[in-house]
Every structure is written in structure tokens, then in C-alpha cells.
């Protein structure tokens, strides 16, 4: 089992920045692909960014490309999401997810992720 705990959410004005963190604990000795999803009220959960265990491969939702950056520190069992130039439409609950995977694997479908955090609220005011 792997437990995921997110932090770093909050209220920010449009154009501002936030950095989300997701700390993993438990059976973290294996390699894991990780990702950030978000879900706004009344909308489906969507994949925002994903990263392979090695960090060499990443994926971004089109609407966040050039504004968000995903990274990880395997020594700290932590994945980060740096969010810049935030927009009101980025308002959502952001959850991190993880699943065992090969070193270079990135998963793009939510059902491929086995472990989920509880989420952290990000609110962007206009």
C-alpha cells in the first residue's frame, strides 16, 4: 500500500502561482508513475500532468502547457506541481495519484492509477 498526502493548495489571484506537493509513504521502494488530476464541481476528473519514475517522460493537459510543471524527488518520495499564471478556470480540487510502473512509463488514464490522495483545493480569483 502507498499513502499519498497533498499540500500547497490555497486561494490565489489570477496570474499568481502555487506549488503543490504530494508526499508518498508506505511501499515506496518500487518504481511508481505519478500524476496530478483535478476535478471541479459538476465536471469529470481530468489528468493535468503526469511523470514517469525516472522523470524523463512527462505529459501535460493542453490547457496547462507552458504554465504548469511537474517534477519529482524520489529520494523524498515527493512529486510537485508548479502552477504559474493561474486562471480562474484552474479552480479545482487537485489530487495526486500513483501506480507501479516501469522507469519510463507515463499513464494517461485515471483507471491506470492505483493509489490516490485526498486532494487539495486550489481557488483562483479573478
Amino acid at each position: 500500500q502507498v499513502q499519498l498526502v497533498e499540500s500547497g493548495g490555497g486561494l490565489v489571484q489570477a496570474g499568481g502561482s502555487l506549488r503543490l506537493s504530494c508526499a508518498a509513504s508506505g511501499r515506496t521502494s518500487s518504481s511508481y508513475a505519478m500524476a496530478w488530476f483535478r476535478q471541479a464541481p459538476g465536471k469529470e476528473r481530468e489528468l493535468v500532468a503526469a511523470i514517469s519514475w525516472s522523470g524523463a517522460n512527462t505529459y501535460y493537459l493542453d490547457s496547462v502547457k507552458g504554465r504548469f510543471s511537474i517534477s519529482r524527488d524520489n529520494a523524498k518520495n515527493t512529486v510537485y506541481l508548479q502552477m504559474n499564471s493561474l486562471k480562474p478556470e484552474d479552480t479545482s480540487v487537485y489530487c495526486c495519484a500513483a501506480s507501479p510502473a516501469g522507469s519510463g512509463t507515463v499513464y494517461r488514464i485515471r483507471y491506470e492509477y492505483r493509489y490516490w490522495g485526498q486532494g487539495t483545493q486550489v481557488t483562483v480569483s479573478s
Side-chain angles (χ1 to χ4, degrees), residues 3-11 17-24 34-37 76-83 92-97 116-122:
Q3 294 77 43
L4 304 173
V5 178
E6 303 95 337
S7 61
L11 173 64
S17 297
L18 282 174
R19 188 194 195 202
L20 305 183
S21 299
C22 174
M34 299 189 76
W36 287 96
F37 286 78
K76 296 181 179 180
N77 295 318
T78 301
V79 65
Y80 305 96
L81 185 67
Q82 178 67 45
M83 305 186 294
S92 192
V93 175
Y94 285 72
C95 298
C96 71
W116 293 84
Q118 292 298 309
T120 185
Q121 177 70 45
V122 171

Side-chain angles (χ1 to χ4, degrees), residues 94-113:
Y94 285 72
C95 298
C96 71
S99 198
S103 178
T105 300
V106 172
Y107 292 132
R108 299 188 182 188
I109 302 174
R110 65 178 182 176
Y111 300 109
E112 295 179 306
Y113 288 91

Side-chain angles (χ1 to χ4, degrees), residues 4-67:
L4 304 173
V5 178
E6 303 95 337
S7 61
L11 173 64
V12 64
Q13 289 188 329
S17 297
L18 282 174
R19 188 194 195 202
L20 305 183
S21 299
C22 174
S25 61
R27 294 187 62 182
T28 57
S29 60
S30 301
S31 60
Y32 287 87
M34 299 189 76
W36 287 96
F37 286 78
R38 68 185 182 188
Q39 187 168 19
K43 295 187 177 181
E44 289 193 1
R45 184 173 296 185
E46 63 180 355
L47 175 61
V48 176
I51 189 168
S52 63
W53 170 257
S54 66
N57 298 316
T58 57
Y59 166 85
Y60 293 96
L61 182 68
D62 282 347
S63 61
V64 308
K65 284 180 180 177
R67 301 189 297 123

